[in-house]
């Protein structure tokens, strides 16, 4: 059966070339497949199609892979290299029987006879177009059949040929397969069933489920028991007819629901491809293989990225689309639903959410039912658990509403596993950063409008690199099983709000944020910002700057914060040149050589990029501070200092140190090897001030000073007199501003009103403060060691200012 399709594929090879343009995933196919060229290679694909085979031949020639048209010598036999699962449909009559079973059985039997030849079976999906199709649509009959007839395939190639997706999956070892079972017809059947499931999942992952008719979807949602009850409650509470309440619910659905269209995605793909080329030197993507693994396991993916910029909406969806996966439905703030952008976002998969549900039970019910429908249908979803964009560059404390609704949807009985994928988004330039600083200084938030869009377009320039790092996913069912083993027994007829839901969701949100930070991206800009902002005048001789940058790179190579944290590519000299090109720094010359400097405006904006990765430097900075402030310390003493402060860091910076002892030792070894510290008789100390390493240690230590100052302010205030939470937060911020004025600290997080609120929560959770009978906060007995430790780590002049202000109160 292969011979006719082989010759037809040869005939179609050149005629198809101008009609077909393929997106091949993964990008580095040969590296990802890890094929052994000395062992037989076979391909398995879904449908026996000449156009599919001609396309596969062209791609294999391009990638340097074995030719699908050439038979394989397997032992003493010559076998076809391609195994087809199905015959195509025919225009009339029954389609021919497939030879897949015979081919599969022959392959297994030959492998059994020649165990020394480890055959490699590579699944290849060829998808003509990425349209999911609509339910009950004539298009699904003609253009989206799994195994279309030659006539339907002709239309498919003409319409969708230039939007073809070809995905190569990791090869299956035939030898390992037969080692686990007997070789017979039943085994061959099992192989084919597994392959069919694989190709079904590949198609579903690339296109998403079929889309329902919009009006039919709304009618189905309005007809659900929960929403009908909510409509009746609304009518009763407002004393209006049920029909009027139903009309209001329909209006809310129209406000919320996405209107996903594949044509908009195609247009967006072209526009964004042009935009990224104009804006960025490149988009760096890391750990995307985790998505492929989840897809192959049949998981529904919920993307939970950090939120830095409005660009996040576009960048992440674009990256996901180019990984060969269906772009997710995106929870977008209602502020983005303005003409004409709102309509485009909605057609690209955005559904809109109000900032608050409070006081509107009908809206809450409508939104929950819509979100539950997305999950039950199997659409990938993306939302930002921070709720809004970070104005300081640090992760915000997460909002748990969307996560809670995700868990509730699972409790209602979704039949697929759900995995939450944290995503770190990083930029070398965030175009809203100046607006963020204005907002932190008290100016009102600018309302999004079409004028703002045109203004942003006029300012487009070279923004350096963008980074998309996929973190370690959380399997939702497994997480709930670990946190609440008996959760199934605790469910009632209405599982909407079990008693354990809120604490579990809070823990889940915290874990997601920690995993976002565990997949951070170090780059030239945030590393240069970290170095220069540690100097009083925000300037350094270029040679000294490059030496410090090289040390930071070495530090993170020898003592990695987490396995998924990515390091900057290139050399320190190249990073400085890159930052100069992006106009992030200034270079001046005197008779002694070049000096790199930040202007006053650059220093403020660069603090945003430093804060993106501040969690990666805080522990080494605390070690450096301790060794500068004390004559010498043992490993145990250094560990005690970190352990006392760690609970506060964990809340503020979402710090996750799984192996503290080994991490600290790796840091100390790296600092000693770089000549910053020395060890004698089990004690560590800073190198003498005359050595270059002493200055490098000071620059490293500075990265902990802002945090220590805030901790000292709050801890010393609490130890002085009981204060209400509002008084404590207000006085803390006032003191921080005074420290900024007196000691020259200028950092956007000092202007963030939520920063001290987060710190107070961390103090309470760690048991470092407690409530009096008058509901005021006072330091607990366990706070004194922390206070003494923090005070001892501060520079003398800063500590004196803190203590004098506290006594003055």
């Amino acid at each position: 059966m292969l011979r006719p399709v082989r010759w037809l594929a040869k005939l179609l090879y050149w005629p198809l070339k101008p009609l077909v343009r393929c997106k091949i995933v993964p990008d580095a196919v040969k590296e990802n497949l890890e094929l052994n060229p000395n062992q037989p290679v076979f391909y398995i694909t879904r449908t026996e199609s000449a156009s599919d085979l001609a396309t596969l031949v062209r791609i294999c020639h391009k990638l340097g892979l074995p030719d699908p048209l050439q038979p394989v010598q397997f032992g003493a036999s010559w076998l076809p290299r391609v195994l087809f699962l199905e015959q195509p449909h025919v225009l009339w009559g029954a389609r021919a029987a497939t030879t897949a079973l015979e081919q599969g059985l022959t392959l297994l039997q030959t492998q059994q006879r020649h165990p020394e030849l480890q055959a490699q079976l590579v699944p290849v999906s060829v998808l003509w177009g990425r349209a999911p199709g609509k339910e009950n649509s004539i298009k699904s009959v003609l253009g989206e059949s799994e195994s279309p007839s030659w006539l339907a395939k002709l239309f498919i190639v003409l319409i969708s040929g230039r939007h073809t997706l070809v995905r190569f999956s990791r090869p299956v070892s035939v030898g390992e397969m037969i080692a686990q079972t007997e070789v017979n017809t039943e085994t061959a059947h099992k192989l084919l069933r597994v392959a069919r499931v694989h190709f079904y999942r590949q198609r579903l992952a690339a296109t998403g489920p079929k889309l329902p008719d919009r009006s039919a979807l709304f009618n189905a949602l309005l007809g659900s028991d929960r929403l009908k009850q909510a409509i009746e409650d609304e009518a009763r509470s407002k004393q209006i007819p049920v029909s009027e309440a139903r009309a209001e619910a329909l209006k809310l659905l129209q406000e919320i629901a996405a209107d996903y269209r594949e044509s908009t995605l195609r247009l967006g793909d072209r526009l964004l491809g042009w935009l990224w080329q104009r804006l960025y030197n490149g988009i760096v993507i890391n750990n995307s293989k985790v998505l492929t693994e989840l897809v192959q396991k049949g998981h529904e993916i919920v993307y939970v990225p950090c939120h830095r910029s409005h660009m996040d909406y576009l960048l992440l969806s674009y990256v996901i689309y180019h990984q060969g996966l269906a772009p997710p439905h995106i929870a977008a703030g209602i502020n983005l639903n303005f003409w004409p952008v709102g309509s485009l976002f909605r057609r690209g998969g955005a559904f809109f959410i109000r900032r608050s549900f409070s006081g509107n039970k009908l809206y809450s019910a409508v939104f929950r039912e819509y979100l539950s429908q997305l999950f039950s249908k199997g659409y990938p979803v993306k939302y930002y658990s921070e709720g809004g964009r970070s104005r300081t560059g640090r992760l915000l404390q997460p909002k748990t509403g969307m996560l809670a609704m995700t868990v509730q949807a699972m409790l209602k009985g979704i039949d697929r596993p759900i995995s939450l994928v944290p995503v770190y988004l990083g930029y070398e330039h965030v175009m809203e950063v100046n607006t963020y600083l204005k907002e932190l200084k008290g100016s009102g938030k600018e309302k999004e409008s079409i004028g703002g869009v045109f203004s942003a377009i006029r300012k487009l320039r070279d923004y350096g690199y963008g980074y998309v790092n996929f973190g370690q996913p959380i399997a939702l069912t497994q997480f709930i099983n670990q946190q609440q083993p008996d959760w199934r027994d605790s469910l009632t007829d209405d599982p909407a709000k079990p008693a354990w839901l809120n604490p579990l969701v809070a823990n889940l949100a915290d874990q997601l944020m920690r995993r976002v930070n565990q997949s951070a991206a170090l780059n030239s800009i945030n590393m240069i910002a970290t170095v220069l902002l540690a100097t009083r005048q925000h300037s350094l001789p270029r040679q000294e700057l490059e030496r410090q940058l090289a040390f930071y790179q070495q530090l993170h190579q020898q003592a990695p914060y987490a396995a998924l944290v990515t390091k900057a590519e290139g050399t320190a000299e190249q990073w400085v040149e890159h930052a100069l090109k992006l106009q992030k720094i200034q270079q001046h010359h005197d008779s002694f050589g070049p000096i790199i400097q930040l202007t006053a405006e650059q220093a403020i904006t660069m603090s945003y990029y430093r804060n993106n990765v501040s969690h990666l430097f805080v522990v080494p900075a605390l070690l450096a501070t301790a060794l500068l402030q004390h004559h010498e310390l043992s490993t145990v003493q250094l560990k005690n200092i970190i352990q006392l402060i760690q609970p506060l860091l964990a809340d503020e910076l979402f710090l996750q140190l799984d192996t503290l002892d080994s991490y600290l030792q790796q840091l100390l070894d790296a600092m000693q090897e770089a000549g910053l510290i020395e060890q004698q008789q089990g004690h560590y100390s800073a190198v003498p001030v005359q050595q270059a390493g002493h200055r490098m240690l000071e620059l490293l230590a500075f990265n902990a000073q802002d945090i220590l100052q805030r901790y000292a302010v709050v801890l010393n205030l609490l130890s002085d007199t009981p204060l209400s939470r509002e008084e404590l937060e207000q006085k803390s911020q006032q003191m921080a501003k005074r420290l900024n004025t007196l000691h020259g600290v200028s950092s956007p997080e000092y202007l963030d009103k939520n920063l001290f609120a987060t710190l107070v929560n961390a103090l309470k959770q760690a048991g470092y403060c407690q409530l009096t009978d008058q509901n005021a906060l006072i330091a607990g007995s366990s706070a004194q060691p922390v206070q003494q430790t923090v005070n001892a780590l501060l520079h003398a002049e800063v500590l004196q200012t803190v203590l004098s202000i506290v006594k003055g109160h």
Side-chain angles (χ1 to χ4, degrees), residues 302-513:
V302 177
Y303 301 92
V304 190
C306 61
H307 202 4
R308 312 257 191 234
S309 167
H310 282 320
M311 198 65 73
D312 299 346
Y313 296 105
L314 305 175
L315 178 61
L316 183 53
S317 293
Y318 178 86
V319 167
I320 293 169
Y321 186 73
H322 276 260
Q323 293 301 311
L325 302 175
H329 281 58
I330 310 164
I334 194 68
N335 57 307
L336 293 178
N337 190 19
F338 62 90
W339 184 90
V341 174
S343 178
L344 288 173
F345 280 176
R346 195 184 296 277
R347 294 184 177 198
F351 59 96
F352 294 98
I353 180 173
R354 296 179 183 178
R355 292 298 180 190
S356 174
F357 291 12
S358 61
N360 194 333
K361 293 183 178 180
L362 182 61
Y363 180 86
S364 177
V366 168
F367 187 87
R368 289 173 185 274
E369 198 66 20
Y370 175 74
L371 188 64
S372 180
Q373 179 80 351
L374 291 181
F375 287 128
S376 65
K377 290 280 188 179
Y379 299 109
V381 174
K382 176 179 73 176
Y383 51 72
Y384 302 91
S385 63
E386 293 170 281
R389 293 164 293 158
S390 170
R391 267 62 176 174
T392 66
R394 295 184 176 197
L395 295 185
L396 303 176
Q397 293 299 310
K399 306 292 191 298
T400 57
M402 291 292 291
L403 277 174
M405 285 186 270
T406 303
V407 174
Q408 288 169 328
M410 193 216 76
L411 298 180
K412 292 175 183 176
I414 294 177
D415 58 1
R416 287 173 311 285
I418 296 176
S419 281
L420 305 167
V421 178
V423 188
Y424 178 93
L425 298 173
Y427 303 91
E428 291 185 334
H429 179 82
V430 173
M431 60 184 178
E432 302 104 318
V433 68
N434 290 321
T435 303
Y436 293 164
L437 296 171
K438 291 177 184 177
E439 291 177 18
L440 288 170
K441 291 177 180 178
S443 66
K445 181 179 179 295
E446 294 183 9
K447 185 176 180 181
E448 284 75 11
S449 65
I450 187 60
V453 173
F454 287 125
S455 176
I457 291 174
R458 285 198 300 270
K459 298 175 183 177
L460 293 183
R461 59 182 180 84
D462 185 0
Y463 286 172
Y465 287 90
Y467 298 84
V468 181
N469 288 3
F470 295 97
Q472 186 65 29
I474 295 177
L476 189 54
T477 302
Q478 182 180 344
F479 182 85
I480 297 176
N481 287 337
Q482 292 172 347
Q483 301 292 317
Q484 191 71 28
D486 61 344
W487 65 272
R488 289 179 176 84
D489 298 332
S490 65
L491 294 181
T492 61
D493 292 336
D494 182 13
K497 198 82 170 181
W500 47 262
L501 181 65
N502 286 345
L504 182 139
V505 169
N507 189 10
L508 177 60
D510 184 72
Q511 285 297 315
L512 282 167
M513 303 306 281

Side-chain angles (χ1 to χ4, degrees), residues 627-639:
L627 292 169
L628 287 169
Q629 293 296 103
H630 300 278
H631 178 63
E632 61 179 23
L633 293 169
S634 68
T635 304
V636 173
Q637 289 172 317
L638 288 166
K639 179 182 175 182

